[in-house]
Amino acid sequence: MKRIATIGFFDGVHSGHRYVLHELCRLAHEYRLQSLVLTFRQHPREVLQSVCPPLLTSPEERTALIRSCGVEQVEMLDFSQIRNLTAKQFMQQLHEKYEVVLLLMGYDHRFGSDRPADFSDYQKAAAEVGLRLQQLAEYDSAMPHVSSTVCRRLLQEGNIQELNALLGYPYTLSGRVGHGNGIGRTIGFPTANLELDFLHKLLPPDGVYAAHTKVGGKFCRSLVNIGMNPTVNGKERTIEVYLHGFAGNLYGEQLQVQLLQFIRSEQHFSSLDELKIQIDTDLQYLLSLPEEGRA
């Protein structure tokens, strides 16, 4: 089947990416083509510099988010196998292997080992291999400039609300519940020790966050503590999740923790009683927030 495609790493699948993906789907419908997104399992820097930067999304999360925009097919490419292809060679591969007849490019997107500087150079190479190119205008939004780099910066600053606005969905930490030290249970706040599915997942600064946690198909209001647990002399950075109103055994369960808001920095308390009083205060703040932001 003939396809229209676009290509990119799409880390975070933020609102700027979604603009591209929605245009891809609109044009696919208009021209009666199948929509295809080509992305990469490994970040290009992992191949080119042997360093994988912390990322907003795992390959599985990216695929799911891209598909949620209505894209029919997502292909994860091995960047190491195409890194030396020129733009023309890469477009020829798209045309021959995936039957791509129309390639959609973002206004500032570049690809190929030769990285042509001008869009007309891409058009000329595309015409030689039987492809048409269409370039999108810059994403016009009332919000500030959106990019994966900006989103990562906001996360690292703990600015969760602004980050979520740029993403268009709540930033999510996914993983299974492992065994912790059990301290939370002794003070009336049992927590789930979250073991992330994706080891390169970028985390916000240490502290306490308001969240919604999805477990067993249902959501619970949650407090999330990220950090070293200085009150109990913790030795490792952990992610601990308190699910308000939840009763049951969570060990081995899969959780999706949607971060909504930064509450406070991690603190050292002189006793567990002081810690309990602060968690009570955090919980009251959590319960005062509107129940919104679920995805």
Side-chain angles (χ1 to χ4, degrees):
M1 184 176 183
K2 305 296 183 184
R3 294 178 174 89
I4 176 175
T6 194
I7 181 171
F9 192 68
F10 296 106
D11 187 31
V13 195
H14 53 64
S15 54
H17 293 146
R18 289 166 182 267
Y19 161 67
V20 175
L21 298 175
H22 290 150
E23 283 298 294
L24 178 77
C25 294
R26 183 185 68 79
L27 292 170
H29 178 75
E30 180 179 338
Y31 296 128
R32 297 183 180 181
L33 300 170
Q34 185 178 61
S35 56
L36 167 65
V37 167
L38 297 137
T39 186
F40 308 106
R41 177 158 293 277
Q42 54 296 63
H43 193 281
R45 281 181 58 191
E46 188 174 357
V47 176
L48 299 174
Q49 302 173 15
S50 299
V51 175
C52 181
L55 300 173
L56 299 167
T57 44
S58 69
E60 292 74 22
E61 287 171 327
R62 272 189 290 133
T63 297
L65 287 166
I66 291 169
R67 287 189 179 278
S68 74
C69 295
V71 174
E72 295 170 275
Q73 184 179 354
V74 181
E75 288 289 330
M76 283 279 177
L77 304 181
D78 184 340
F79 186 76
S80 65
Q81 293 183 359
I82 66 166
R83 60 180 292 184
N84 295 321
L85 295 181
T86 64
K88 179 179 178 179
Q89 289 170 333
F90 181 66
M91 287 188 283
Q92 185 169 11
Q93 185 178 99
L94 296 187
H95 184 56
E96 295 175 354
K97 184 174 181 178
Y98 297 103
E99 296 186 87
V100 174
V101 294
L102 178 58
L103 183 63
L104 188 63
M105 289 182 63
Y107 80 99
D108 61 350
H109 187 211
R110 299 288 181 270
F111 63 86
S113 60
D114 52 340
R115 295 182 67 81
D118 193 81
F119 181 66
S120 62
D121 295 327
Y122 284 96
Q123 285 182 307
K124 181 175 181 293
E128 291 173 357
V129 300
L131 267 180
R132 285 193 299 126
L133 285 191
Q134 185 160 332
Q135 188 176 39
L136 287 173
E138 183 176 1
Y139 176 50
D140 183 15
S141 169
M143 295 184 291
H145 175 70
V146 55
S147 68
S148 297
T149 300
V150 170
C151 289
R152 294 187 197 108
R153 176 178 56 78
L154 290 172
L155 180 65
Q156 291 172 311
E157 293 172 351
N159 195 338
I160 304 301
Q161 290 168 293
E162 189 173 346
L163 167 66
N164 289 347
L166 292 188
L167 290 176
Y169 62 89
Y171 189 69
T172 302
L173 306 177
S174 299
R176 293 199 176 275
V177 178
H179 288 273
N181 56 25
I183 297 295
R185 188 173 301 279
T186 67
I187 59 174
F189 291 98
T191 58
N193 188 52
L194 187 69
E195 298 176 350
L196 293 175
D197 292 332
F198 185 54
L199 297 180
H200 296 299
K201 185 81 171 184
L202 184 62
L203 293 176
D206 291 354
V208 177
Y209 296 82
H212 285 143
T213 298
K214 186 176 183 181
V215 55
K218 296 181 179 180
F219 281 92
C220 292
R221 291 191 180 199
S222 306
L223 291 173
V224 181
N225 186 85
I226 300 174
M228 300 294 292
N229 297 301
T231 302
V232 296
N233 298 315
K235 304 299 183 184
E236 297 180 356
R237 195 181 194 203
T238 60
I239 305 170
E240 295 184 282
V241 186
Y242 169 70
L243 288 76
H244 179 65
F246 181 87
N249 185 358
L250 283 171
Y251 291 122
E253 290 288 335
Q254 184 77 20
L255 302 184
Q256 290 181 312
V257 182
Q258 299 179 349
L259 300 181
L260 303 179
Q261 188 174 325
F262 173 79
I263 297 178
R264 62 174 174 86
S265 299
E266 190 174 45
Q267 297 171 243
H268 178 273
F269 296 94
S270 60
S271 69
L272 290 179
D273 286 338
E274 284 191 11
L275 174 59
K276 182 180 185 302
I277 291 171
Q278 181 60 59
I279 296 176
D280 274 322
T281 301
D282 297 337
L283 179 59
Q284 293 310 308
Y285 180 80
L286 171 71
L287 297 179
S288 73
L289 298 175
E291 284 198 86
E292 61 184 7
R294 297 178 179 179

